[in-house]
Amino acid sequence: ASTCPAENRLVNPPFLCSAPIKFQYANFSSHSYKNTGKGSLKLQLINQRSDFSFALFTGGLANVFPYKLYTPKLVAVSNKVSFLNPNAPVYPRLAQGKTWDEITVTWTSGYGISDAEPFVEWGRKEG
């Protein structure tokens, strides 16, 4: 964390530079966590075509007190969380084509060219 500067003064953990590991303090969205031991966090998961796990640590990132160094200790690990279709197309992009009346559509997919045939549907949608 000490080598992970905030992108701007309004940025809080999890920082982008710690990828692929993201973290939040337990009291980040549940301010009473220290008193009650109960809380909840909301995290956005992006399909990176891999399973996710969550871990709970105690001890903070860099709590230094006289004569003692508190380091993070693993308390619990969740079951794996998987996407229903990790190969599903994501990140659609539109770009100007070679001429004024063309458009280029691209996306990222986990399928190989022999696994699926890429296609785009367009047109008016009822309503």
Side-chain angles (χ1 to χ4, degrees), residues 87 109-118:
N87 292 328
S109 171
Y111 291 111
I113 196 67
S114 61
D115 298 329
E117 186 173 327

Side-chain angles (χ1 to χ4, degrees), residues 44-49 83 88-94 105-109:
Q44 180 181 6
L45 296 181
I46 297 172
N47 185 353
Q48 296 181 340
R49 310 195 196 295
F83 285 91
V90 292
Y91 313 117
R93 297 171 293 281
L94 300 176
V105 180
T106 59
W107 61 89
T108 303
S109 171

Side-chain angles (χ1 to χ4, degrees), residues 51-55 76-82:
D51 295 340
F52 283 85
S53 290
F54 299 91
V77 177
S78 73
N79 293 331
K80 289 182 182 178
V81 177
S82 301

Side-chain angles (χ1 to χ4, degrees), residues 59 61-73:
L61 292 174
N63 296 325
V64 180
F65 294 95
Y67 310 111
K68 286 189 177 182
L69 175 63
Y70 293 91
T71 57
K73 291 192 184 349

